[in-house]
Each structure stands twice: as structure tokens, then as C-alpha cells.
Amino acid sequence: MYQDERMEAIVNYIKQHDRVDMETICRMNKVSRDTARRDLVKLEEEGKIVRTRGGAKFPILYHEVFNYDQRLKKDSEAKKQIGKFAAGLIQDGDHLLLDVSTTVQYLAENINTDRNVVVTNSIDIAGILSRKGNVSIHMLGGVLNNEHRSIYGARTIQHLSDMRVNKLFLGACGISSNGLTIPFEEEGFLLKEMIKRSDQVIVLADSTKFNRSYFQKVCGLEDIDILVTDQEIDRHLTALFEQSDVETIIL
């Protein structure tokens, strides 16, 4: 078995059991402890696991932050697929909240219903919708973040306070047993307010977002109504979604 195959087996085992010990790795991959240790070192260097005393687990906290253009290019085919499907969840006349997720941008590109009212803090999504004659657009006010192409701040949250919408579509940096998390505190406060203002919360997340946690918690799994993703989710998270009554749609 090649090293990449062994490493994939280790990652898949952790997805199902939360952690793995050296004895299990040696038995599963039929390798010595020295080989198992080298595989774990390689996985840790790639940021996929954290080595622990006698084994490994997934990292609890992630730190990488990409700008909007970089995020738009990452896993773009999965995001396009999710966005196109999610647009089909919108009905004529729906009032919507759309966050600055790149996956939500693909949803905006595929909106073809009539008489929708859209509230967003994304300048790119507003630009896309401005080319559609069947959408009324409300841009949230506040401070522009050039790197992430979004409006944020206390004024943005205040602007939301008198609004109510049918559906909120938001992306995710990380989804784990801890709920939905993102790297930025300010954005976290804004997303919390968006959730409060929405009758239905719909999360769009490709498979790379699962079993990741970031600095700022947005909400628990119980606050999510529908999750749309592109691949099967590991059994542990699937069970938690079922316990929280999250409707999971796998494309």
C-alpha cells in the first residue's frame, strides 16, 4: 500500500471514530510503528490531523483564511452544483437574505424566480442580481471589507434589525459537532443577526467544510433547517444532524 493510500485510510478512520491510535494504524495498514509515525507526521504537515499521545485526531481549530477571489476558485465545481440546486428552493415572491459566501454567489447566478426581494451584504451578489429584472435588491450599509468583498459593522447589524425574510442562504467555513463557525468575530455577529431575522436557515457547504472549527461560533446545528452539500457526510455528523432535525440534501 502506497503512503497516500495509507494516509487516506487514516483520515477516513478518524472521520468515523474521531481519533485513531498507533496500534489501530499499524493493524489497519499492516505497517510498523515507524512507518505509521511517518504517515502521521506527513498528515500533520499537510494540516489534516493533529498528533496526540499515542495517535492522532482532527485539528480542533483551523486558522487559514483565503480572500474572496481565492475562495471562489476553490472547489468551484462543487459550489456551482450546490448553488444551482439551492436556487431551486426559492419560490416566487420569497424575501431572501444572502450572505457573502462564494457558494451563495453561485446560487444568485441561478435565481430565475419572480418578484423576489433580496437583502445582502455582498457587493458581488448585488452586482449579479442587478442584471436580473425580477429581483428587488436591498444592500446593507456599513464598512466595506475589500479583501472579502463584504459590508460589515455595527451599522450593518442595525440595518437588519427591522427586517424579516422567508429564507436565509449562508455558506460555512467550518461545520462540526460544535455547529457553524467562521474565522471573523465581526462577521459572526452579523450572521447571528441574519439567523434571527429568517424563518428558514439554509446552509450551503461543500464537503471540505465538515469536521472543521474556526474562532467564532455562528450557531449550533439545531439552528439549521436545511443543509445542502455535494458528498456523503461521515456517520458521526450525520447522526448529530438527525438529532438536531436538520434536513440534509446530498447531491
Side-chain angles (χ1 to χ4, degrees):
M1 184 183 293
Y2 295 107
Q3 185 180 40
D4 58 345
E5 295 173 323
R6 298 195 305 267
M7 289 163 56
E8 182 179 4
I10 292 169
V11 169
N12 287 336
Y13 186 93
I14 298 175
K15 284 181 179 178
Q16 296 179 27
H17 300 89
D18 291 331
R19 60 179 61 234
V20 66
D21 58 41
M22 292 293 287
E23 288 71 21
T24 300
I25 295 172
C26 293
R27 183 175 63 254
M28 176 175 64
N29 288 339
K30 298 181 175 59
V31 295
S32 66
R33 289 182 67 88
D34 285 342
T35 298
R37 189 175 295 107
R38 285 194 294 270
D39 291 344
L40 291 183
V41 169
K42 180 68 171 176
L43 283 168
E44 189 170 48
E45 289 174 348
E46 294 180 358
K48 294 179 179 178
I49 59 98
V50 172
R51 287 189 293 159
T52 61
R53 185 185 297 274
K57 63 180 182 179
F58 282 132
I60 296 175
L61 186 66
Y62 282 77
H63 302 283
E64 79 271 23
V65 179
F66 299 99
N67 66 35
Y68 194 85
D69 289 337
Q70 290 171 325
R71 288 188 285 121
L72 197 61
K73 294 173 184 176
K74 287 176 64 65
D75 305 294
S76 59
E77 288 306 313
K79 292 177 180 179
K80 288 177 183 177
Q81 181 185 17
I82 293 168
K84 184 176 182 179
F85 177 88
L89 301 176
I90 299 171
Q91 297 177 343
D92 290 348
D94 272 347
H95 286 53
L96 311 171
L97 258 173
L98 305 183
D99 84 338
V100 297
S101 160
T102 51
T103 310
V104 176
Q105 176 176 319
Y106 290 119
L107 172 143
E109 292 175 358
N110 286 279
I111 291 178
N112 55 19
T113 43
D114 291 321
R115 305 184 315 280
N116 294 123
V117 175
V118 174
V119 181
T120 186
N121 65 321
S122 166
I123 60 176
D124 290 282
I125 288 176
I128 289 167
L129 295 178
S130 70
R131 298 189 287 272
K132 298 176 182 285
N134 53 355
V135 180
S136 174
I137 307 163
H138 293 254
M139 277 293 296
L140 294 172
V143 180
L144 173 63
N145 183 314
N146 291 326
E147 185 178 7
H148 297 289
R149 313 282 295 168
S150 64
I151 307 295
Y152 73 99
R155 186 182 298 273
T156 318
I157 295 172
Q158 183 180 20
H159 197 170
L160 270 175
S161 62
D162 293 326
M163 296 181 176
R164 190 77 199 174
V165 300
N166 302 112
K167 299 178 174 77
L168 163 64
F169 290 90
L170 71 158
C173 289
I175 302 177
S176 67
S177 58
N178 190 43
L180 191 69
T181 56
I182 60 174
F184 308 111
E185 186 178 36
E186 287 278 4
E187 186 179 352
F189 292 150
L190 178 58
L191 290 179
K192 287 175 187 288
E193 188 67 22
M194 287 184 171
I195 290 170
K196 289 180 184 178
R197 302 298 158 197
S198 307
D199 294 334
Q200 188 176 51
V201 176
I202 303 171
V203 175
L204 311 183
D206 65 79
S207 58
T208 64
K209 307 300 174 59
F210 294 103
N211 292 304
R212 289 189 172 212
S213 291
Y214 287 84
F215 174 69
Q216 179 68 34
K217 182 175 180 178
V218 174
C219 67
L221 299 180
E222 68 277 2
D223 296 311
I224 300 170
D225 296 300
I226 299 175
L227 169 71
V228 184
T229 188
D230 61 315
Q231 292 184 23
E232 292 287 340
I233 306 164
D234 70 70
R235 288 180 292 180
H236 175 64
L237 268 182
T238 297
L240 292 177
F241 288 137
E242 290 174 353
Q243 292 172 18
S244 300
D245 294 323
V246 180
E247 180 185 349
T248 303
I249 300 172
I250 301 171
L251 305 182

